[in-house]
Each structure stands twice: as structure tokens, then as C-alpha cells.
Amino acid sequence: MPAVHRRHFLGLLGTAAALWAGPSAVANAAVAGALRIGIKSLPASLNPLTVNDLVARQILGSMYESLTSIDPNGRVLPGLALSWDAEAQATRWRLRLRDGVRFHTGRPFTARDVKRTFEAALATEGANFAVLALSKVQGFRELRERTATDLRGVTVVDDLTLEVVCDEPCATFPFARFNILDTQAIAEAGPAWYRTMSAGTGPYRLTGSTEGIRVDVEASSHWRGGALPFERVSFLATGIGNDGITLFNDSQIDFSFVDTDALRAVIDDPGFKRALISCPRMQMRAVALDPRRVRAFGDVRVRRAMSLLIDREAMAERFFRGVARVHNGVVPPALLANERLESLAYDPDAAKALLAEAGHPDGRGIEPFTVNVLPEYRREFVYYVSQWNNHGIPAKLVIAPRQEFIARSRRRDYDAFLFGWTATYPDPMNFLDELFSSRSRFNPVGWSSPEFDGLVEKAMALADSEQRAAAYKEAERIVMDDLPLIPLVVPDYVALRSNALSDNFITPFGGMNFA
């Protein structure tokens, strides 16, 4: 790849505003009770038991509820559970459930449905959000190894009371995301049930889908929350890049997230001003480096040098037009303001010295490697890769189709790749334990530290919030000292929305406020 110097590269970004003509109709109106949401591409599966990506979570959020919910400001609120009380250092939980709830199927919701959902999720193959959240519940291993069908750590006390016992402290258990469903109905419908029906308690129910093209839902007659703002919602695959913006501009959709590569052009165009909404992401973004594939990545000095070659402040200000955050760690500052972390500085001279100290002066001896990303992040990563190339680090940018990228990155089949993680509940543990614990299946690079694992286990048993925060901060410091991955700028969620949608339609957790 030809060298692109940082200042010249950032200075050219303003030309992106010429990508398309000004909008013809910003004040789109949702068509008579219907809302049309543009999604870059629809997920390969909408099985609520196996969900493990953000887009599937966005769509399923209209149909399924969890034990707890999160408001737009990140506060934990009651969901299907009205209260949750911990005992014995958070190894035992007693949950009181909401009365009068019905599934889309018409069946009443009870505590037994929660237990059956847990068991059904553990009976599925592979890693998913529910499996991770249930990993400490007594009987987890037996279900995963198919030596039992009953999750013995979960007891149905009565129709509206559930007791959960864990093998070890689990202070965040009630906050984890579970899609609670009518397992009796899905057992009757067969293994592909989620293609033709929904079995949740959420505001909308599935009415139809065309694979890869659209998903249609309608207001559930059993929804307990009163009248909904839209009778019907359609999720439409728009493609990447500017396609969603073009469809919004042509009044073909009412809502579209704005890709990072298109962000500057949209923000710079005054015609879009009234349609723009944004909010900070409760997210971590990083370049994951796999030392199994590239030997030099095993040296923390090389990793630090690569980090020092990224000017995050300039990227936030100029590339992302100020709608982005620089996190100095792996936990969003809104969840953990960690004064123990050093700022992620831009220092090419220090990077050069570290490379020489590591035995790679001017990058010599580092094996050529690829950095794999999705198409919508190409322009952003041109800068990162060019900076490394300019200092002799032999990186090559490779664009991968979405489904291929997701599959290969999950099995760590890339030298280096974009890694993103969006919180499912507002606690630092959602980033620390679930990404960096040695036993986590979502650990992006296989990093491990006994000291870190010990701190996370300690935090799980601490009821006092200040003590927990202190343990969190030290655990995050350990990660950042070793820098197993390179944190990047975190852009805000930015979207175009019609006048029919409120300014808080999007949430920091990547969801949408359907109700």
C-alpha cells in the first residue's frame, strides 16, 4: 500500500462531502403506522437462543425481553423480573417475576419459562451471550456436556419466583441479556421455528421474513405496555456504504445508522442537520493482534509501538467530526472512570525507539501481516495501516465480506482484525470478564493473566460498589499494561431519522427504543 502521511491523509477527509447531492426530503414521515428501519445487512440467523451479534440483537430487541432492561441513560430497570436479591456473596439470587405477562403465542409467562429458556440456550452449539451469562450457574457444565437436561442451579419456587444458585460469586447475573421465550411453543413448531414465528413477550411479533432482504413485525396484541407508536416495523437490508443514506434521502426508509466511512459527508451536509441524532456508544473498539500467527505481536514493545503511531485525538476531531470518544482503556469511561490509566498518546519517536529495542529497527524483521476489516471501515483503517507502513511495519489492509469476517474473526482466523464489543448490561464486568478472562470464549486474542483472573473473581463477590470499582480499575490497568489489543477511537452512534422518531430512539447499547 502506498504511504499516506498522517497530516495529508486527515486533511483530505473533507472531500468526502461530495459523495452525493444534498437531501431531497429530510422530513420523511413514517408511512401510515409503519416504520421502515434500514440495516446494512440482515444476520444469518434470528434464533434468539443463539444470538451473538449486535444486528441480530437490535432486531430481536423488538420481540424479546430479558429479566432486566436498560434505559437510554444506562440505568438497570425491571424487565420480566420486578426485583432481584442476592445472598451469600452473590452466589444465590432470588428473583420475583412480573405477573400478567403473555407470550406472543398467548401462553402466560411463568418462572418455569425462564428456567426452560436457560436450559434451551445451553443445549445449543457454540458460544452466545446466554451461555456466557449462565456459565457460573450450578449444573452448567453438565448441560453443556449433554450429561443432564435439568439446570439444577435454577429452582422454580412458584409461578412468579425463581431461585438461582451459582458455583461462585456472580454479582452481575440479573443484568445479563436473556431472550426469554415460550419453549413449549417452539418445541411444537420444530427446529426452524424462528423463521416463521416469534415466541417472546416483547412489543412486536414476527409476521414474516425474506432471508437476507427483510424482516417484518407487527404490534403484539399481548403487549402489556399499552399503545405502540407504530403498528408495523420492517427491517430492510440496505447494503453498506451510502446505500442506506440514499434510501433515506429518497424516503424509502425512515431510519438508518450512518456508517463511520460516511459520517463526515453526512455531518458536513447542512441538509441533513434536522434529521441527525447521535449518542455515545457503550462500546470498545480495537485492533486484535494474534501472536500465534505473527510472532512479533508477542512482544509488548511492538504492540505499544503500533499503538503510539495512532493519533486518536486527531481522528476523533477530524475523521469523526467530533462525534467520537477517546477511551484510554477497554471499559467505556461512562462505566468506569479509571484514573490509574495512562493516556493513549501519539508519539512516533517513542514508537521508533520501542521497535528498535524489540529488535525490529524501522520495523525490520516483522513478518508481513494482514489487517482484516468490514467494508464500511475501510477509510478509517487506511489511516492506521498507512501509519504503520510509514514506520516499516508491514501491514496490508484486507476487506472481508460481513458473514465471512464475522465467522473467521470469531475463530481467530486472522493475523489482525477489527474487534468491537458493545455492552449488554451497564457494568465494567461486561468488558473485563467477558473479553479478557482466560476462560471466556469471547476473548478475542486468547490473552490470559492469573492476576487479572483473580481480581475479576474477587470483584464478582463484592457487594460494595466502591470496592468493586477499585478491583475493576486494577484489572483494567493490568490489561492496558500488557496491551493485548490496541484500543481505537469509539465513534458515537449517528443515525438519520424521520420526524416520526424521537431524538432518543437509539441507545448507548446499540439498541432502539421500540416501545
Side-chain angles (χ1 to χ4, degrees):
M1 173 178 289
V4 179
H5 293 283
R6 170 185 167 271
R7 296 296 177 190
H8 178 61
F9 172 81
L10 291 173
L12 289 174
L13 294 177
T15 62
L19 286 173
W20 60 78
S24 60
V26 167
N28 299 340
V31 178
L35 175 65
R36 301 158 301 175
I37 294 177
I39 300 289
K40 288 190 290 288
S41 65
L42 296 180
S45 172
L46 280 177
N47 186 342
L49 291 172
T50 60
V51 59
N52 56 14
D53 71 81
L54 178 59
V55 176
R57 212 167 74 196
Q58 289 171 337
I59 298 173
L60 291 169
S62 68
M63 295 179 270
Y64 294 88
E65 293 184 280
S66 188
L67 296 173
T68 55
S69 63
I70 305 170
D71 76 2
N73 297 315
R75 294 180 303 164
V76 177
L77 301 174
L80 290 174
L82 290 175
S83 64
W84 44 95
D85 299 299
E87 299 174 2
Q89 291 188 311
T91 59
R92 184 183 299 271
W93 288 91
R94 194 173 184 88
L95 297 97
R96 187 68 181 170
L97 305 180
R98 192 181 294 272
D99 195 7
V101 177
R102 287 189 176 272
F103 290 106
H104 299 159
T105 59
R107 284 191 59 250
F109 159 77
T110 69
R112 190 168 302 280
D113 294 301
V114 177
K115 178 173 183 175
R116 287 174 175 168
T117 295
F118 291 169
E119 292 167 347
L122 294 181
T124 62
E125 297 294 334
N128 59 66
F129 296 137
V131 167
L132 196 62
L134 293 167
S135 62
K136 296 175 182 177
V137 176
Q138 287 184 358
F140 168 85
R141 186 176 300 277
E142 292 96 311
L143 259 76
R144 292 300 281 173
E145 294 175 352
R146 308 293 191 268
T147 59
T149 56
D150 177 76
L151 186 57
R152 58 183 171 83
V154 179
T155 301
V156 176
V157 179
D158 57 44
D159 280 353
L160 297 176
T161 309
L162 202 70
E163 189 172 85
V164 179
V165 180
C166 300
D167 288 318
E168 56 188 275
C170 190
T172 60
F173 176 78
F175 314 141
R177 175 72 196 183
F178 304 104
N179 291 310
I180 306 300
L181 45 81
D182 181 354
T183 56
Q184 179 176 318
I186 68 173
E188 296 169 356
W193 65 272
Y194 54 88
R195 298 180 184 274
T196 58
M197 62 176 282
S198 57
T201 61
Y204 291 92
R205 58 178 287 274
L206 182 69
T207 57
S209 64
T210 304
E211 188 170 352
I213 298 176
R214 66 184 294 153
V215 174
D216 297 305
V217 300
E218 70 177 11
S220 170
S221 60
H222 299 295
W223 172 240
R224 68 180 184 280
L228 293 167
F230 302 99
E231 180 62 29
R232 299 179 303 283
V233 178
S234 294
F235 300 90
L236 308 170
T238 63
I240 61 172
N242 304 327
D243 294 343
I245 299 167
T246 300
L247 289 170
F248 178 85
N249 192 44
D250 291 341
S251 301
Q252 299 300 304
I253 57 176
D254 307 298
F255 174 88
S256 178
F257 281 108
V258 177
D259 288 342
T260 56
D261 269 7
L263 189 63
R264 298 171 306 284
V266 171
I267 290 177
D268 291 346
D269 192 324
F272 284 119
K273 184 176 181 179
R274 292 179 59 192
L276 279 172
I277 55 174
S278 66
C279 73
R281 297 184 192 224
M282 204 68 73
Q283 187 182 78
M284 183 269 286
R285 296 169 80 244
V287 178
L289 306 172
D290 195 334
R292 301 174 311 163
R293 298 171 63 99
V294 179
R295 184 176 300 177
F297 292 165
D299 192 322
V300 68
R301 294 168 296 187
V302 172
R303 301 194 295 271
R304 287 192 178 281
M306 293 175 68
S307 176
L308 287 166
L309 292 172
I310 297 175
D311 191 337
R312 294 170 178 82
E313 295 291 347
M315 287 296 287
E317 177 187 349
R318 302 185 66 181
F319 187 92
F320 293 111
R321 294 297 191 263
V323 287
R325 320 285 157 152
V326 177
H327 299 174
N328 291 320
V330 293
V331 179
L335 293 183
L336 185 69
N338 195 348
E339 71 283 351
R340 303 182 190 184
L341 303 180
E342 296 181 6
S343 297
L344 289 171
Y346 170 67
D347 192 338
D349 292 335
K352 183 181 180 70
L354 280 171
L355 288 174
E357 184 182 319
H360 300 290
D362 297 321
R364 291 195 294 274
I366 297 178
E367 311 115 283
F369 62 91
T370 60
V371 181
N372 293 263
V373 301
L374 294 165
E376 57 264 38
Y377 301 104
R378 182 184 64 81
R379 288 190 181 92
E380 178 186 358
F381 271 76
V382 163
Y383 165 65
Y384 304 140
V385 169
S386 295
Q387 282 297 95
W388 295 331
N389 289 168
N390 291 347
H391 292 79
I393 298 173
K396 178 183 178 182
L397 183 62
V398 176
I399 307 302
R402 176 169 290 274
Q403 294 306 325
E404 175 188 329
F405 176 83
I406 291 172
R408 291 187 62 183
S409 61
R410 281 181 185 152
R411 62 176 185 262
R412 294 172 57 195
D413 194 22
Y414 288 133
D415 302 338
F417 58 95
L418 168 65
F419 177 81
W421 184 264
T422 301
T424 55
Y425 58 88
D427 191 275
M429 197 66 78
N430 195 201
F431 291 86
L432 296 171
D433 183 37
E434 296 181 14
L435 295 183
F436 300 102
S437 169
S438 59
R439 63 188 173 187
S440 173
R441 296 190 64 179
F442 288 96
N443 190 318
V445 292
W447 178 83
S448 66
S449 161
E451 183 182 5
F452 173 89
D453 286 349
L455 276 169
V456 166
E457 291 175 10
K458 174 185 174 183
M460 278 291 194
L462 294 173
D464 182 82
S465 59
E466 291 186 5
Q467 292 179 347
R468 280 166 59 82
Y472 287 153
K473 290 177 181 180
E474 186 60 18
E476 186 180 26
R477 184 198 61 76
I478 291 170
V479 174
M480 292 306 297
D481 280 353
D482 204 34
L483 210 67
L485 39 70
I486 301 175
L488 301 175
V489 175
V490 180
D492 291 354
Y493 283 116
V494 178
L496 292 167
R497 59 91 170 93
S498 72
N499 289 341
L501 294 173
S502 67
D503 289 348
N504 67 348
F505 183 65
I506 54 177
T507 77
F509 299 87
M512 296 174 239
N513 290 316
F514 291 105

